[in-house]
Amino acid sequence: MPLYHDDDQTMLADTASQFMAEEGAIAKQLRHWRDRECKDGFGHALWKQMAEMGFTGILVPEADGGLGMGHVEAGIVLEEIGRNLTPSPFLTSSVIAASALGQASDDLRGRYLPGLIAGDSVFAVAIDEGAKHRPERIATRAEKSGNGFRLSGRKDFVVQGASADMIVVAARTSGAEDDADGVTLFAVPKDAAGLDHDAVRLVDSSMASHLTLDGVELDGDAVIGEVDGGREVLSRMIDAGRVGAAAEGVGVARGAMAMTVDYLKQRKQFGKLIGEFQALQHRAAHLYSEVEIARAVTIKAQQLLDAGAQNASLMASVAKAKVGKAASLAVKEGVQMHGGIGMTDEYDIGLYMKRDRALAEFLGDAHYHAGRVAELSGY
Amino acid sequence: MSDLESFRAETRAWLEANCPAEMREPAQGEDDAYWGGRNATFQSEAQKAWFEACRDKGYTVPAWPREYGGAGLSPPEAKILREEMARINARSPLSSFGIWMLGPALLKFGTEEQKRKYLNEIARGEIRWCQGYSEPGSGSDLVSLQTFGEDKGDHWVVNGQKIWTSYADKADWIFCLVRTDKTNKYQGITFMLFDMASPGVSTKPILLISGNSPFCETFFDDVKVPKDQFVGEINRGWDVAKYLLGHEREMISGADNSERGAGIGAMLKRQAGEMDPVLRAELAMFDVDALAFSAMGEKFLDEVKVGKAHPAQPNMMKYAGTELNKRRHELVMAAGGSAALEWDSEESRGGSAARSWLRTKANSIEGGTSEVMLNVIAKRILELPGA
């Protein structure tokens, strides 16, 4: 498969680009909800509009009422979300949770997917336990209780956890904290007794929860996939999320870079456009190279995920790490090249820097993923 | 089975039958490759067998038309061949500036007669070519070149000096930029081809920091060049040169070799044993960049094939690829430790680690410096204002 978008994908990109630039624009969404200190950090009306556009069900199989497309298509929407810093539950609901639900029972799919496709439901995922992403270790316990399970533990960085109708929780049904086996995924409804959110606003104005599970009782049918055998579903779900976060990061990087290059063409100092200075030209050209390379490997990872290829997980880490570095460079250069105005709240470039920091941390930063590349490569 | 699937199966079987085991080990450097030419010698029976099998199959230039010595493969077929060769680490059967640079220029600008003659010779490895672009004082600023061809009716008389002419002392013919009109900077250059055995041509190798002399100074003293030995139009050689530079940059960037640079961490761990955690971290970051660049190379070639790539994109590939390659060899030296310093011991494979490391320092200079590449990206892709 060639590493560029085919005609259908290009059409989707045009549609998504126009939609996000109009409906998902920074002033209309991010600043709007931020300035109102919105408790969700995003607008439900936009989520509904995204459903009308067909975006919400991109990764949901046609048999379940979705579009049955792939990670390349989800990535197209995510790149536009990133470019416009559009706050939405798309990544957590339509990419990560949808990817787990795709492997769930008919009952769970029937219960949750229609709401997702319609833009009525929002999902979150609870993986991390601690400030850094370490999904290899899961301490949250799920003990057998009657016909079901009883969940106890604590989760961090549950993005949009307090707004979610359902949270996919990774818990341990057997074994020790760092065992690969013994992990099970559960679909936990928001009103489950014993589920408590400590919701906090993050640097990018998004909301994330510290989640406490204090003897949360679930029926056996809340299990996604196999009991004790959830590691593979979890890994696939996380890989989908990493590649999705990479795609959104590419959008953030491209958005910040476009803003900066545009500024270089307008701002005058010392009687010249600052874009005429070679010191800035070279840094901008280097940045362009890094962002292009990050975009290429993200598309590669999307295609490998869609093909179910053996090295998809390795390339997901390469993409997350590369985008982590490239997007961070884009926002740092963006603020620096904007000079004083780049430090003002009035100007959008700082918003790109904040979003990048949150995305970079989500599902593992560049250091984590470079380390994973080394491990998967045998050193 | 689709046509492409059966092509892959056939290719795999053909490579299995024809690529000797010794040709599936990585080459140790440029000297380890077969370059063809009038005075060529093979380093081993395996090298000879592999070259001849590829030559007879058209696999020295798989995508060129059959009438010009190629195998006439379609782009997807050529990609499959590349993938299958990479899968078994098969070496390139023939290294050649004729293939990488002159060939593409002839395919685009050459006359039918030129194509039939020169392309077939290149494909069969019969003539080894060198490139006469740079001059003392005209490195990255190529259009300032001074070598002059005086019009004598049926021939030119060429006088001047070239520098950094790779392997000029071993080459049979040269493709060369010669000023034929002194009044016009850009439209006064002609792209000429001539025999290095012509009277008046002399070469002198330049010893490099690597201890090798791949480059030469080349002198033209009243060299007679027949008037029909030019490509494109007279005085419009810059068009050909620019086109060809794109291919050269693509080649130096390693974009056509998607495995290069990928996954050196594991390889170096095997060599070095226990690894310093900071070195391991640097290797891991390098592998991230290298694997990402491989994807970029693949994307770039896919886009070139359908005309989607920006015309200045080869500059980006050249910049990123050569900087990456330099970093790679810094890491090879760091992992190799004192063994990598040994200039010609068994341990250091005859000093190949150190020589390759030093050689890569030229990557970001030859074919246009990294700084020139960044200038081009800034102006032509980002469209930043000129000074």
Side-chain angles (χ1 to χ4, degrees):
Chain A
M1 195 185 303
L3 265 183
Y4 51 77
H5 293 148
D6 64 24
D7 290 347
D8 288 344
Q9 290 161 347
T10 304
M11 254 170 60
L12 174 65
D14 291 343
T15 307
S17 160
Q18 198 187 346
F19 175 82
M20 291 302 165
E22 284 168 13
E23 301 303 327
I26 294 175
K28 207 165 175 174
Q29 298 293 338
L30 177 61
R31 283 185 181 279
H32 177 85
W33 297 116
R34 182 195 73 161
D35 294 348
R36 276 155 194 77
E37 293 183 17
C38 166
K39 66 171 179 50
D40 288 319
F42 67 90
H44 289 275
L46 181 81
W47 186 229
K48 195 77 191 160
Q49 277 176 288
M50 286 172 73
E52 283 157 16
M53 298 296 291
F55 296 155
T56 49
I58 278 185
L59 280 174
V60 177
E62 283 176 285
D64 292 318
L67 291 180
M69 291 175 166
H71 294 279
V72 175
E73 286 82 4
I76 286 170
V77 174
L78 282 162
E79 191 175 321
E80 298 308 321
I81 286 175
R83 195 195 307 268
N84 295 285
L85 305 179
T86 311
S88 92
F90 184 82
L91 180 56
T92 50
S93 304
S94 293
V95 177
I96 309 177
S99 151
L101 286 171
Q103 297 163 76
S105 64
D106 289 350
D107 177 51
L108 281 182
R109 294 214 307 274
R111 197 182 312 169
Y112 291 113
L113 290 175
L116 169 69
I117 295 165
D120 294 330
S121 302
V122 169
F123 305 142
V125 288
I127 302 161
D128 292 353
E129 300 174 357
K132 296 301 281 187
H133 181 64
R134 286 289 301 276
E136 301 81 5
R137 308 189 128 207
I138 292 186
T140 296
R141 298 209 70 91
E143 273 146 7
K144 276 267 184 201
S145 161
N147 289 332
F149 295 87
R150 209 179 137 81
L151 273 61
S152 297
R154 196 183 141 82
K155 294 282 184 179
D156 297 295
F157 204 14
V158 181
V159 173
Q160 291 149 350
S163 315
D165 302 282
M166 181 274 282
I167 303 171
V168 178
V169 176
R172 177 159 296 291
T173 33
S174 66
E177 210 174 294
D178 50 4
D179 282 354
D181 295 335
V183 171
T184 306
L185 291 187
F186 295 91
V188 180
K190 69 169 171 187
D191 48 11
L195 186 67
D196 192 41
H197 294 275
D198 178 10
V200 289
R201 191 171 302 280
L202 304 183
V203 67
D204 64 338
S205 306
S206 69
M207 299 298 291
S209 293
H210 298 287
L211 202 68
T212 313
L213 299 124
D214 184 11
V216 173
E217 300 271 0
L218 295 174
D219 287 341
D221 61 8
V223 171
I224 299 174
E226 306 282 314
V227 174
D228 280 352
R231 182 61 77 177
E232 205 186 312
V233 190
L234 176 66
S235 297
R236 263 187 273 171
M237 169 178 109
I238 295 181
D239 282 342
R242 286 167 180 164
V243 173
E248 186 173 341
V250 167
V252 170
R254 294 183 99 200
M257 182 171 73
M259 224 187 139
T260 306
V261 169
D262 196 42
Y263 189 71
L264 294 178
K265 293 175 186 174
Q266 290 175 18
R267 171 69 170 163
K268 280 193 168 178
Q269 288 277 269
F270 308 104
K272 276 182 169 183
L273 291 168
I274 60 173
E276 290 179 54
F277 295 115
Q278 200 178 43
L280 297 189
Q281 288 186 346
H282 282 192
R283 277 163 49 193
H286 171 72
L287 171 60
Y288 165 82
S289 307
E290 292 295 293
V291 173
E292 279 294 293
I293 294 167
R295 186 163 191 255
V297 72
T298 301
I299 298 177
K300 179 79 186 173
Q302 290 162 354
Q303 288 188 354
L304 291 175
L305 270 189
D306 284 334
Q310 210 185 352
N311 57 344
S313 193
L314 169 71
M315 212 48 84
S317 275
V318 173
K320 185 71 168 65
K322 183 70 196 182
V323 173
K325 286 169 48 171
S328 156
L329 182 69
V331 298
K332 284 185 285 196
E333 288 289 46
V335 169
Q336 176 66 20
M337 290 191 194
H338 273 81
I341 202 171
M343 294 299 298
T344 65
D345 180 70
E346 184 194 339
Y347 233 67
D348 288 342
I349 191 72
L351 300 175
Y352 282 94
M353 180 171 268
K354 294 173 182 180
R355 181 60 188 148
D356 170 61
R357 192 80 277 283
L359 264 182
E361 210 56 53
F362 187 59
L363 299 181
D365 66 6
H367 305 110
Y368 172 83
H369 285 291
R372 192 163 176 268
V373 166
E375 257 161 48
L376 291 175
S377 309
Y379 64 100
Chain B
M1 202 186 270
S2 78
D3 286 355
L4 285 179
E5 281 166 31
S6 55
F7 177 77
R8 189 182 291 277
E10 281 163 30
T11 303
R12 200 171 279 198
W14 186 87
L15 286 172
E16 211 40 62
N18 288 284
C19 185
E22 289 163 78
M23 292 294 107
R24 302 182 194 193
E25 294 287 320
Q28 298 300 332
E30 289 180 4
D31 296 340
D32 214 16
Y34 178 65
W35 288 83
R38 287 174 191 152
N39 304 313
T41 49
F42 292 100
Q43 288 184 329
S44 66
E45 278 306 309
Q47 192 184 51
K48 181 167 188 277
W50 175 227
F51 165 73
E52 286 174 353
C54 287
R55 177 195 62 195
D56 295 345
K57 184 89 175 161
Y59 279 0
T60 56
V61 285
W64 290 8
R66 285 178 189 277
E67 61 267 36
Y68 306 144
L73 299 191
S74 67
E77 288 170 340
K79 187 172 180 177
I80 287 172
L81 176 61
R82 268 203 310 278
E83 287 167 358
E84 289 301 318
M85 285 182 63
R87 199 178 58 83
I88 60 166
N89 295 317
R91 281 194 214 173
S92 174
L94 176 63
S95 292
S96 158
F97 297 127
I99 294 175
W100 300 324
M101 298 190 238
L102 179 60
L106 281 170
L107 280 166
K108 186 167 171 70
F109 295 97
T111 62
E112 184 56 30
E113 203 186 346
Q114 286 174 336
K115 288 182 195 173
R116 286 195 182 271
K117 173 176 162 54
Y118 297 124
L119 292 177
N120 272 298
E121 286 173 354
I122 290 168
R124 303 182 61 79
E126 289 163 357
I127 296 292
R128 183 170 178 174
W129 287 86
C130 66
Q131 179 200 56
Y133 274 26
S134 294
E135 296 184 5
S138 303
S140 291
D141 179 17
L142 209 49
V143 287
S144 66
L145 61 88
Q146 299 295 320
T147 292
F148 186 63
E150 193 184 354
D151 193 336
K152 296 283 188 185
D154 67 333
H155 66 274
W156 289 289
V157 169
V158 176
N159 280 286
Q161 184 193 344
K162 295 285 173 183
I163 195 165
W164 310 123
T165 345
S166 307
Y167 304 115
D169 53 339
K170 299 185 175 74
D172 305 311
W173 275 58
I174 187 167
F175 50 96
C176 192
L177 290 177
V178 179
R179 185 161 295 289
T180 38
D181 179 353
K182 288 182 177 170
T183 59
N184 193 323
K185 196 176 171 193
Y186 285 90
Q187 297 187 6
I189 296 170
T190 300
F191 191 98
M192 292 183 193
L193 314 172
F194 57 89
D195 197 321
M196 291 292 279
S198 311
V201 179
S202 58
T203 62
K204 190 175 139 201
I206 304 167
L207 188 63
L208 297 186
I209 53 177
S210 61
N212 290 344
S213 310
F215 298 115
C216 294
E217 289 180 284
T218 304
F219 303 92
F220 306 133
D221 184 15
D222 284 337
V223 179
K224 200 171 151 182
V225 178
K227 206 62 176 289
D228 59 354
Q229 287 177 194
F230 65 97
V231 180
E233 293 174 44
I234 289 174
N235 289 334
R236 296 302 298 265
W238 187 238
D239 297 344
V240 185
K242 258 196 320 193
Y243 179 79
L244 193 151
L245 275 171
H247 280 270
E248 180 181 14
R249 284 166 188 169
E250 203 176 307
M251 184 228 5
I252 297 173
S253 78
D256 59 342
N257 186 350
S258 59
E259 293 304 306
R260 180 154 145 198
I264 64 163
M267 186 188 88
L268 294 180
K269 166 87 170 42
R270 281 198 297 277
Q271 286 172 14
E274 267 317 293
M275 210 177 258
D276 182 288
V278 178
L279 175 60
R280 176 184 180 270
E282 282 201 28
L283 281 169
M285 283 297 184
F286 173 83
D287 276 348
V288 165
D289 287 331
L291 288 162
F293 184 72
S294 294
M296 184 68 227
E298 198 184 322
K299 179 165 181 277
F300 171 64
L301 291 180
D302 285 343
E303 288 183 339
V304 164
K305 270 175 224 146
V306 292
K308 272 177 179 258
H310 189 287
Q313 196 73 342
N315 298 278
M316 189 282 252
M317 297 302 297
K318 202 265 176 187
Y319 166 67
T322 56
E323 295 297 333
L324 195 62
N325 205 36
K326 285 196 295 183
R327 206 169 119 208
R328 172 179 210 234
H329 283 269
E330 288 291 341
L331 288 168
V332 169
M333 289 302 286
S338 61
L341 302 175
E342 296 182 11
W343 199 234
D344 36 36
S345 75
E346 190 86 3
E347 181 84 349
S348 66
R349 290 192 312 239
S352 83
R355 285 184 168 83
S356 299
W357 161 65
L358 289 161
R359 172 67 183 87
T360 58
K361 299 303 172 192
N363 291 168
S364 50
I365 301 169
E366 61 200 338
T369 61
S370 282
E371 289 70 25
V372 167
M373 296 305 113
L374 292 171
N375 284 344
V376 177
I377 296 166
K379 294 204 167 64
R380 293 189 54 208
I381 299 181
L382 300 178
E383 297 177 339
L384 290 172

